[in-house]
Amino acid sequence: MLYTSEALESVIENLSRLPTIGRKTAQRIALWLLKQPREDAVALAKALVEMKEKIQYCSVCWNITESDPCPICASPKRDRSVACVVEEPSDVLAIEKTNDFFGLYHVLGGVINPLEGIGPDELKIKELLTRTENDELKEVILALNPSVEGEMTTLYLAKMLRPLGVKVTRIASGVPMGSALEFVDEATIARALEGRISV
Amino acid sequence: MLYTSEALESVIENLSRLPTIGRKTAQRIALWLLKQPREDAVALAKALVEMKEKIQYCSVCWNITESDPCPICASPKRDRSVACVVEEPSDVLAIEKTNDFFGLYHVLGGVINPLEGIGPDELKIKELLTRTENDELKEVILALNPSVEGEMTTLYLAKMLRPLGVKVTRIASGVPMGSALEFVDEATIARALEGRISV
């Protein structure tokens, strides 16, 4: 035990468990917090506990929310005929930031990954199918990440959704805006060519 | 307000105030914590509050501690004739890790920095001088960082300490172990030459 305080050691220990934070950063943050007014540390502690107490999952779209159904599902302004299927709540944030989509969402909670033992039953896929059957959905947009597992899940979902009589689409893959062809990998260029649209 | 939850927004806000954590990392950590068991977030919150409650400054060496005087100042095993002067509590940790120093410490709480309005009175310099006069100290080792401000503070402290009749030394600056001369900057090599010792 190198530290002169167990309380400090405990904070460093707890902080270094967080993603992106190693032991050195944890030590730096802990010592920094010691220099700040007591209220700062207390505010962070309170926010952490409140978050865990208040946040639940929306029973319709499985996004994180404080009220059920979530503000998006409950909003009369959203287009109820289209739902965008994403992996995680952070993807909802990313799409909402565009201010370009006004439909509903469906958060799967991950993608099918046999190597990690994640099959369709571990995700909110059954809920998506039930919702597609019962709700007034006309289109389901698949917006999973273009990883191997994301692609696999997209194909699986398309196969399951098509018989239900909804239009199933997926977001385009291609050259990112502001990028240059010479710096983009072959798979992306191939996908961009494949998904070409008339101008 | 992009988030569907104010509680989440509050955690992100509080986390992104910490050093080395930007808004994106804060969001990633908050969403990760949401997926973890409730106990994890509560443990972190509790550790933060406890740290602020339990930790105080040692009235002898001004290092952080849970008991006053701190375990180092109170230990009968430490050599009470030598004190190592450092900037911050993290420097005490760094030196303790070497297992090579068995004297006492004195934590200044920073260095003299006129641009940021930090003069000798903002640091624990008066306390160091009083301690040097009253205690059985025979040697004071100055171990401040070799920055411009650190150098300035070292010279200031040497000037103030010398009349008190103690031996005043400073840690060596030079080529770091495992490094190569060709990759070391000129100021470091100049300092290494200046501080050469006979072998």
Side-chain angles (χ1 to χ4, degrees):
Chain A
M1 173 78 170
L2 282 162
Y3 295 95
T4 46
S5 154
E6 272 181 50
L8 176 64
E9 174 64 32
S10 168
V11 167
I12 294 175
E13 189 81 15
N14 273 291
L15 282 175
S16 59
R17 279 200 204 112
L18 302 177
T20 76
I21 297 187
R23 183 140 185 115
K24 279 232 164 171
T25 311
Q27 181 184 308
R28 190 170 153 197
I29 293 174
L31 290 169
W32 181 86
L33 273 169
L34 269 181
K35 281 192 143 192
Q36 304 308 117
R38 188 177 175 279
E39 292 72 45
D40 285 25
V42 172
L44 172 56
K46 228 180 101 189
L48 286 169
V49 174
E50 263 188 14
M51 177 180 80
K52 288 303 266 190
E53 267 164 12
K54 285 193 181 165
I55 291 186
Q56 45 179 325
Y57 291 95
C58 171
S59 62
V60 181
C61 73
W62 302 95
N63 190 12
I64 49 171
T65 177
E66 285 183 32
S67 54
D68 188 16
C70 75
I72 294 178
C73 286
S75 166
K77 285 186 191 154
R78 312 289 301 211
D79 178 357
R80 316 194 82 75
S81 71
V82 50
C84 183
V85 179
V86 295
E87 294 178 24
E88 299 287 350
S90 51
D91 301 323
V92 174
L93 292 177
I95 296 178
E96 282 294 287
K97 270 188 198 159
T98 65
N99 270 322
D100 221 26
F101 177 73
F102 304 102
L104 306 175
Y105 290 96
H106 190 89
V107 181
L108 291 180
V111 279
I112 298 172
N113 191 338
L115 288 177
E116 292 189 7
I118 302 172
D121 293 344
E122 272 72 46
L123 307 169
K124 301 296 179 195
I125 290 181
K126 209 164 54 218
E127 289 80 356
L128 173 63
L129 300 177
T130 317
R131 205 178 149 188
T132 311
E133 280 182 316
N134 301 341
D135 288 9
E136 63 248 75
L137 286 180
K138 291 201 182 71
E139 179 176 358
V140 173
I141 304 173
L142 302 174
L144 308 183
N145 291 325
S147 60
V148 175
E149 292 80 16
E151 290 295 295
M152 192 163 60
T153 312
T154 296
L155 296 178
Y156 177 84
L157 289 176
K159 207 180 94 188
M160 302 296 282
L161 285 165
R162 258 188 237 112
L164 303 178
V166 284
K167 187 173 164 193
V168 183
T169 57
R170 61 181 295 170
I171 55 166
S173 269
V175 184
M177 298 298 290
S179 173
L181 278 180
E182 61 173 325
F183 301 126
V184 173
D185 65 292
E186 298 79 9
T188 301
I189 295 186
R191 184 60 76 83
L193 279 169
E194 209 180 290
R196 67 193 180 276
I197 51 174
S198 57
V199 284
Chain B
M1 171 75 174
L2 282 164
Y3 294 95
T4 47
S5 154
E6 271 181 50
L8 176 65
E9 174 63 35
S10 167
V11 167
I12 294 175
E13 189 82 14
N14 273 292
L15 282 175
S16 59
R17 278 199 205 113
L18 302 178
T20 76
I21 297 187
R23 185 141 181 112
K24 279 232 164 173
T25 310
Q27 182 185 306
R28 190 171 153 197
I29 293 173
L31 290 170
W32 180 86
L33 273 171
L34 268 181
K35 282 192 143 193
Q36 303 310 116
R38 187 176 177 278
E39 292 71 44
D40 285 26
V42 172
L44 172 57
K46 230 180 99 188
L48 287 168
V49 174
E50 263 188 15
M51 177 180 80
K52 288 305 266 190
E53 267 164 12
K54 286 195 180 163
I55 292 187
Q56 45 178 325
Y57 291 96
C58 171
S59 62
V60 180
C61 72
W62 301 95
N63 190 13
I64 49 172
T65 177
E66 286 183 33
S67 54
D68 188 18
C70 75
I72 294 177
C73 287
S75 166
K77 287 187 190 154
R78 312 288 302 210
D79 178 359
R80 315 194 82 77
S81 70
V82 50
C84 183
V85 179
V86 295
E87 294 179 21
E88 300 287 351
S90 52
D91 300 324
V92 174
L93 292 179
I95 296 177
E96 282 294 288
K97 270 188 197 160
T98 66
N99 270 322
D100 221 26
F101 178 71
F102 304 102
L104 304 176
Y105 290 95
H106 190 89
V107 181
L108 290 179
V111 280
I112 297 171
N113 191 339
L115 290 176
E116 290 187 8
I118 301 172
D121 293 343
E122 271 73 45
L123 307 170
K124 302 295 179 194
I125 291 181
K126 210 166 53 220
E127 288 80 356
L128 174 64
L129 300 176
T130 317
R131 205 180 149 187
T132 312
E133 280 181 317
N134 301 341
D135 289 6
E136 62 249 74
L137 286 179
K138 291 199 180 74
E139 178 176 359
V140 173
I141 305 173
L142 302 175
L144 308 182
N145 291 325
S147 60
V148 175
E149 293 81 13
E151 291 294 296
M152 191 164 59
T153 311
T154 295
L155 296 177
Y156 177 85
L157 288 177
K159 209 180 93 188
M160 302 295 281
L161 285 165
R162 257 186 240 114
L164 303 178
V166 284
K167 187 175 167 192
V168 184
T169 56
R170 60 180 297 170
I171 55 166
S173 271
V175 184
M177 297 299 288
S179 173
L181 278 178
E182 61 174 325
F183 301 128
V184 173
D185 65 294
E186 298 79 10
T188 301
I189 294 185
R191 183 62 74 83
L193 279 170
E194 209 180 289
R196 66 191 179 280
I197 51 174
S198 59
V199 286

